[in-house]
Amino acid sequence: MKPVKLGLIGVGTVGASTALVLKNNAIEIARRAGRAIEIVHASRKNIAKGMPDGCADIKLTDAPFELVDDPQVDIVVELIGGYEPARDLVLRAIENGKHVVTANKALIAMHGNEIFAAAQAKGVTVAFEAAVAGGIPIIKILREGLSANHIQWIAGIINGTGNYILTEMHDRGRDFDDVLKEAQALGYAEEDPTFDVEGIDAAHKLCILSSLAFGIPLQFDAVYTEGITRISIEDMAYAGELGYRIKHLGIARRTDKGIEMRVHPTLIPDKRLLANVDGVMNAVVVMADKLGPSLYYGAGAGADPTASAVIADIIDVARTITTDPQNRVPHLAFQADRIVDIPVLPITEVSTAYYLRLRVDDIPGVMAEITRIMGESEISIEAILQKEPETGVAQATIIMLTQKIREAQMNLAIDKIANLETVHGSIHRIRVETLGDD
Ligand code: HSE
């Protein structure tokens, strides 16, 4: 069979590794794909950096639009990231009848509906396994492995940089900025690292997972997003005393009222496997009605793990090149005409338990006032921790765990408590999930 010819856009961390793995594992890859797969054309912004050692024979330009117009290219592999020019390049590749493999979560989350419609019309495939959770084949799991099930919820650690920062803070008491610099140097962080620490990268990925899980359109703007910048080592220690770890989770849940899509720091019981996913590792728990819970764990960022997912997609596409487009696996798991626009709930309508930390005057009656407001707001308190004031200080720290309550109701109670004269500063709130069977 004729070799499948690739055009590679972007020769950065993941692009270089993809080129090298395709060369070094060429025989094994051909055994799986049933034909050779070779890069015939590559492009990178700074052409002076060249191709990685061992790939110097590949034609390299700094003109990606020429690459997507190159008639010999069967599959365009887009590894530049970001919204533009990635969107234009991918749409032009599709227009030219080429298949596309991309690791670009921002592109899929933001422009996926448009891109898949164009691909559908043209009968080509756009594959994006590497866009979520690096090397973990979670897209394939949701799209194929669990296709008999109703998916009930997904909870995942889907940003390696954020998890690395939280782990280093927790285990070694290291400084946030210091760990972030290290993650950047290791090639884990996004070009703009605020995407990692403010939860935007995780929100891109959660938006994609939700669409695959529930058969809904991609709607990045509907994901509630909160980053990790306000998590302190102090909160990690208090959570630990109560038997919890703080993790930055992406959570998607199907409820009777609509779909929840949210990314935020979350207390989870420390006995859960997810609580023990550390460093740059990612993990996703999927609760499915027939399988029950299943957990997918692996490297969520980094050159070779991401290249592993990119190349798995290339092999999948190579295998389907000769099949009828109607019989291929649908881009978003469900047939394009069966995607349903189920409403997405605003965060105020989401119910979770809460961890609250507040600073109060160390005088009698303060706790009674706080618990009165909680009672009037119909919020049950699960646990209370009071920390003795430091010597010479007249204020104490109180930590409370509540039972599940609608966020709008909790917001009102927090406002009332914050207005008490005996309460000082802002009230720190972190949502709590038990990740049990419900
Ligand atoms: N910046 C991302 C992360 C890279 O840290 O998870 C993989 O998508």
Side-chain angles (χ1 to χ4, degrees):
M1 238 187 269
K2 275 196 322 185
V4 172
K5 298 191 171 165
L6 310 180
L8 173 67
I9 307 176
V11 192
T13 309
V14 179
S17 177
T18 299
L20 283 170
V21 176
L22 280 167
K23 281 260 181 203
N24 296 338
N25 289 1
I27 294 171
E28 194 72 347
I29 289 170
R31 282 180 68 209
R32 293 181 191 273
R35 55 180 89 187
I37 296 178
E38 57 193 39
I39 302 175
V40 293
H41 193 159
S43 76
R44 74 184 301 173
K45 220 195 251 169
N46 186 349
I47 197 170
K49 289 188 176 167
M51 289 298 287
D53 286 347
C55 301
D57 54 324
I58 296 169
K59 173 184 171 189
L60 179 66
T61 71
D62 57 1
F65 283 93
E66 272 173 30
L67 183 152
V68 297
D69 289 342
D70 182 344
Q72 63 169 337
V73 168
D74 302 304
I75 305 174
V76 169
V77 182
E78 183 276 299
L79 300 176
I80 49 176
Y83 303 121
E84 291 293 355
R87 175 178 160 274
D88 282 347
L89 287 164
V90 164
L91 287 173
R92 183 134 141 203
I94 293 169
E95 188 51 39
N96 289 337
K98 299 182 193 308
H99 302 279
V100 175
V101 170
T102 177
N104 191 335
K105 52 258 163 155
L107 177 74
I108 297 298
M110 205 65 140
H111 300 298
N113 297 323
E114 177 190 17
I115 287 169
F116 297 136
Q120 182 90 0
K122 208 70 191 174
V124 296
T125 300
V126 176
F128 52 95
E129 182 64 72
V132 182
I136 306 174
I138 189 65
I139 304 291
K140 205 173 193 63
I141 291 294
L142 287 173
R143 205 156 47 183
E144 299 174 51
L146 300 181
S147 53
N149 293 259
H150 267 97
I151 307 294
Q152 292 156 327
W153 56 260
I154 294 176
I157 294 173
I158 46 180
N159 180 267
T161 303
N163 199 42
Y164 186 59
I165 293 172
L166 291 183
T167 304
E168 289 292 304
M169 285 169 70
H170 176 270
D171 291 357
R172 283 180 258 282
R174 286 182 63 194
D175 178 62
F176 188 104
D177 292 327
D178 195 30
V179 191
L180 175 58
K181 279 195 194 105
E182 196 178 308
Q184 285 175 287
L186 290 167
Y188 300 149
E190 296 301 299
E191 199 175 323
D192 176 354
T194 59
F195 272 42
D196 295 297
V197 299
E198 297 297 351
I200 300 160
D201 177 76
H204 285 142
K205 293 167 179 168
L206 187 76
C207 157
I208 297 171
L209 293 180
S210 308
S211 187
L212 296 166
F214 307 128
I216 57 173
L218 293 152
Q219 35 205 322
F220 170 68
D221 291 341
V223 182
Y224 173 80
T225 307
E226 218 179 278
I228 56 170
T229 49
R230 274 172 297 173
I231 297 300
S232 62
I233 289 174
E234 192 187 4
D235 285 322
M236 290 179 167
Y238 293 145
E241 283 184 48
L242 293 160
Y244 290 82
R245 278 285 295 267
I246 302 179
K247 288 292 184 187
H248 194 220
L249 296 192
I251 299 171
R253 191 188 299 269
R254 190 201 299 254
T255 76
D256 294 343
K257 291 190 227 142
I259 303 285
E260 294 176 9
M261 289 198 285
R262 47 196 171 94
V263 169
H264 52 71
T266 314
L267 265 77
I268 50 177
D270 55 16
K271 61 176 189 256
R272 295 274 179 238
L273 289 170
L274 213 49
N276 297 288
V277 171
D278 288 333
V280 74
M281 302 309 269
N282 278 195
V284 182
V285 180
V286 182
M287 183 64 80
D289 66 344
K290 299 304 165 204
L291 174 64
S294 53
L295 171 75
Y296 308 92
Y297 168 86
D304 284 357
T306 312
S308 161
V310 170
I311 294 170
D313 269 351
I314 294 170
I315 294 171
D316 262 2
V317 175
R319 285 175 176 145
T320 65
I321 275 177
T322 50
T323 63
D324 169 4
Q326 300 311 318
N327 293 323
R328 294 181 191 147
V329 179
H331 288 112
L332 288 177
F334 293 73
Q335 297 298 330
D337 58 355
R338 304 297 293 272
I339 301 280
V340 183
D341 207 352
I342 306 170
V344 177
L345 297 175
I347 193 70
T348 45
E349 290 308 307
V350 169
S351 292
T352 68
Y354 289 86
Y355 160 102
L356 303 176
R357 169 165 61 84
L358 49 160
R359 198 82 181 143
V360 300
D361 286 335
D362 188 27
I363 53 173
V366 174
M367 193 62 99
E369 273 188 298
I370 293 169
T371 52
R372 176 184 54 77
I373 294 173
M374 295 294 246
E376 285 169 6
S377 310
E378 296 175 2
I379 299 170
S380 297
I381 297 169
E382 183 83 21
I384 297 186
L385 258 182
Q386 175 161 353
K387 294 286 159 188
E388 288 308 311
E390 307 87 68
T391 324
V393 177
Q395 291 174 1
T397 297
I398 293 176
I399 317 295
M400 278 188 282
L401 281 187
T402 75
Q403 289 189 350
K404 252 185 171 183
I405 186 76
R406 204 164 51 89
E407 178 124 347
Q409 229 164 313
M410 178 50 91
N411 289 345
L412 288 175
I414 286 179
D415 282 349
K416 284 185 193 160
I417 295 171
N419 279 335
L420 293 173
E421 276 179 12
T422 47
V423 173
H424 302 279
S426 54
I427 297 177
H428 295 261
R429 159 241 307 262
I430 307 174
R431 298 173 189 87
V432 181
E433 292 286 344
T434 57
L435 303 182
D437 288 343
D438 57 333

